[in-house]
Amino acid sequence: GLLAAVFSAGCAAFTIVSVAHGETLADAASVTYETNPTLQAQRSSQRALDETYVQAQSGLGPTVSVSASISTSNNTPESPLSPNPINSSSVALTASQPLYTGGRTAANMSAAEADVLAGREGLRRVEQTVLQSVIQSYVDVRRDQQRLAISNDNVSVLERQLREARARFQVGEITRTDVAQAEARLAAAQASRSAAQAQLSISRAAYAAVVGQNPGTLAAEPPLASLLPASIDDAFTLAERNNPQMRQADYTEQGSAARVAATRALTRPSVSARLSVGVAGGGPDGASPFADYSTQISGSLAASVPIFTGGLTTSQIRAATERNNVDRIGIETARRQVLQQVSIAWSQLLSARAQLVSTEQQVRAATIAFEGTRQEAQVGLRTTLDVLNAEQELRNAQLALVNAKHDEYVASAAVLAAIGALDIGAIVPNAPRYDPAANFNDVRRSNGYLPWQPALESLDRAGAPKIQVRPAPTPAPPVAEADPNAPQATATP
């Protein structure tokens, strides 16, 4: 009867089926890691940044040029078109090799190296942000699928209840008020289902925008508990060591310090060697410019010492120093921001866990309350409305539980991002990784690199700053795979 139908609504409000296979979070993360346009663009930007090191390194290499000329001249003012001009031609090959730049080239190389390392940390930040978006969109879709499943079941049960209420009204067992209550409850459930359908469509669109494909049957997300620190103090420690924002600020400051050194090097002497080999020909009285060639070879060793630049160099040094001060202060700014992010994320995680425990207790209590109300209604101690309200409370508790599980997972991902541990290797252990160092190692030994450059670099680095490379981030252990036989909520999109 009516009470049995309502009881079935409470028990079936969260329909579950066993899914053996489906799209996993690892699948979504792998596709995103390979194809996401934001990541692709950031990697291209990093490869462009690698070239700045090659450009700085070129200051240690020689420059070679070829010049050629052919000319004719007339030294007779009265007759510019004299038939006896002086013709000449020449070809020269000139090479210039810096021997010492006062440390300027070495400092520029250090600055470029720091920029490259800072760029890698920026790439890590983008990777973490994208992976966080994948996790967010994945659990959003799963949450909304479960909410729609609950709404669909509720509408189905209330439709059956309304049909039964109308039949009982016809035979006089209940009043018109009971029918109106059933109609109102059904209308509210249908409105709730429409809202759930709209929200699922929104979440599916967000998933497609991040992952690049529409979600299919999504399997349970793997637990993140093994990746999380044991306490907030551990989270702070990990963040100061691994967070890409703090590491990027550190490298940025080292880069600007190297630029201060490069600017100071403008006050020091520089030494270079020059070699020129050429041939010249031609002669007077209309001789061919290509006749009577002679070879000319010259070499020189030049030293240049700046004495006075009108205050330009000292002004540049002061400006570079102040920019370094800004970057040094930026380290503390980044540290405070990161610690704030960790504190906020950790507090949200604790709150989400507390809500999860509370909603689980709420579901258990609402289930007991519904069962008691149903039995009391069978002996006339409760009305139909009491049973409907108890069923509604149970359904609301189950919806709250779905939301709490979603929020706890998102908060866990936020903590991992704050401490710098949200890495593709943790979610997809066997995924091919993009290594930004591989391109850097290739281009730094590309065209233009010569065997004697290390010796020149060692000479130029006397007194130049050296970049202090921070230890590699501590890799997080891979998450455990979710049980493929775990109950999964399904819904018709």
Side-chain angles (χ1 to χ4, degrees):
L2 174 62
L3 296 178
V6 175
F7 177 69
S8 67
C11 295
F14 189 60
T15 303
I16 56 175
V17 296
S18 180
V19 178
H21 300 284
E23 183 178 350
T24 65
L25 180 58
D27 296 333
S30 295
V31 172
T32 304
Y33 190 76
E34 293 294 329
T35 64
N36 184 268
T38 302
L39 277 179
Q40 297 291 338
Q42 189 66 26
R43 290 166 185 165
S44 292
S45 296
Q46 181 62 31
R47 290 191 291 269
L49 194 59
D50 291 343
E51 298 295 340
T52 61
Y53 184 87
V54 179
Q55 295 162 16
Q57 189 182 50
S58 67
L60 296 174
T63 57
V64 181
S65 62
V66 176
S67 61
S69 66
I70 181 170
S71 63
T72 181
S73 62
N74 193 320
N75 296 327
T76 306
E78 297 83 2
S79 178
L81 301 178
S82 171
N84 298 314
I86 299 174
N87 299 324
S88 65
S89 65
S90 65
V91 177
L93 178 68
T94 303
S96 178
Q97 172 64 61
L99 300 179
Y100 178 66
T101 66
R104 184 176 67 255
T105 299
N108 286 333
M109 291 173 62
S110 294
E113 180 185 3
D115 291 344
V116 168
L117 294 173
R120 292 180 190 174
E121 297 303 326
L123 177 59
R124 282 187 61 222
R125 289 184 67 180
V126 173
E127 288 180 350
Q128 286 203 153
T129 300
V130 171
L131 288 176
Q132 198 172 358
S133 297
V134 172
I135 292 174
Q136 177 79 54
S137 60
Y138 190 95
V139 296
D140 282 355
V141 172
R142 276 185 41 80
R143 174 202 62 192
D144 295 337
Q145 285 177 340
Q146 294 169 5
R147 292 174 63 179
L148 182 56
I150 294 173
S151 296
N152 282 334
D153 290 337
N154 188 51
V155 169
S156 298
V157 170
L158 291 176
E159 285 175 344
R160 293 195 300 269
Q161 176 185 334
L162 179 57
R163 289 194 297 269
E164 182 173 342
R166 287 171 176 169
R168 296 181 63 190
F169 174 71
Q170 293 295 329
V171 298
E173 293 184 8
I174 59 176
T175 66
R176 184 69 183 86
T177 301
D178 294 311
V179 176
Q181 290 171 344
E183 290 174 341
R185 191 61 58 86
L186 175 59
Q190 290 171 335
S192 178
R193 180 177 64 178
S194 297
Q197 289 173 333
Q199 184 57 51
L200 177 57
S201 297
I202 294 172
S203 297
R204 287 172 59 87
Y207 180 98
V210 175
V211 180
Q213 62 187 28
N214 290 323
T217 301
L218 302 184
E221 55 272 7
L224 300 178
S226 62
L227 306 182
L228 295 172
S231 67
I232 190 170
D233 291 334
D234 292 341
F236 287 144
T237 301
L238 290 171
E240 292 195 8
R241 183 170 68 239
N242 293 345
N243 185 277
Q245 182 179 351
M246 290 189 62
R247 294 168 64 92
Q248 186 176 25
D250 184 8
Y251 287 131
T252 299
E253 188 277 332
Q254 292 191 60
S256 64
R259 288 184 175 87
V260 173
T263 307
R264 293 183 184 278
L266 295 175
T267 64
R268 303 191 188 106
S270 60
V271 182
S272 63
R274 179 185 176 91
L275 176 65
S276 178
V277 179
V279 293
D285 300 326
S288 171
F290 306 107
D292 299 328
Y293 273 109
S294 62
T295 301
Q296 300 174 347
I297 300 177
S298 65
S300 64
L301 186 65
S304 175
V305 181
I307 297 178
F308 180 69
T309 62
L312 174 62
T313 302
T314 53
S315 176
Q316 290 174 334
I317 292 173
R318 290 195 299 269
T321 302
E322 292 303 329
R323 283 192 288 269
N324 179 243
N325 289 337
V326 172
D327 293 333
R328 185 179 298 110
I329 296 170
I331 294 177
E332 178 61 21
T333 301
R335 177 179 176 274
R336 294 185 182 187
Q337 290 176 347
V338 168
L339 295 183
Q340 180 186 24
Q341 292 170 7
V342 173
S343 297
I344 293 174
W346 190 264
S347 297
Q348 290 174 338
L349 176 60
L350 295 182
S351 175
R353 286 176 173 174
Q355 291 179 7
L356 181 58
V357 172
S358 298
T359 53
E360 287 175 343
Q361 295 174 347
Q362 182 182 0
V363 169
R364 287 193 294 268
T367 302
I368 295 173
F370 171 76
E371 174 63 20
T373 302
R374 183 189 69 86
Q375 292 179 357
E376 291 171 359
Q378 290 177 344
V379 295
L381 299 178
R382 295 283 184 170
T383 64
T384 300
L385 181 59
D386 292 334
V387 177
L388 288 173
N389 289 337
E391 184 273 332
Q392 183 70 30
E393 291 178 0
L394 175 58
R395 186 176 68 84
N396 290 340
Q398 290 172 329
L399 288 172
L401 179 59
V402 169
N403 291 332
K405 289 181 177 179
H406 164 276
D407 295 344
E408 192 272 341
Y409 202 85
V410 171
S412 297
V415 170
L416 294 177
I419 65 175
L422 190 58
D423 182 76
I424 185 64
I427 300 176
V428 193
N430 299 323
R433 303 289 300 275
Y434 178 79
D435 183 11
N439 179 76
F440 177 76
N441 293 332
D442 288 342
V443 300
R444 70 183 299 190
R445 301 294 190 218
S446 61
N447 295 336
Y449 182 82
L450 295 173
W452 59 80
Q453 287 188 10
L456 296 178
E457 181 180 350
S458 298
L459 175 63
D460 214 51
R461 280 198 179 278
K466 185 175 178 60
I467 300 303
Q468 301 296 321
V469 180
R470 299 187 64 167
T474 305
V479 297
E481 291 292 334
D483 183 5
N485 296 318
Q488 307 299 320
T490 61
T492 302

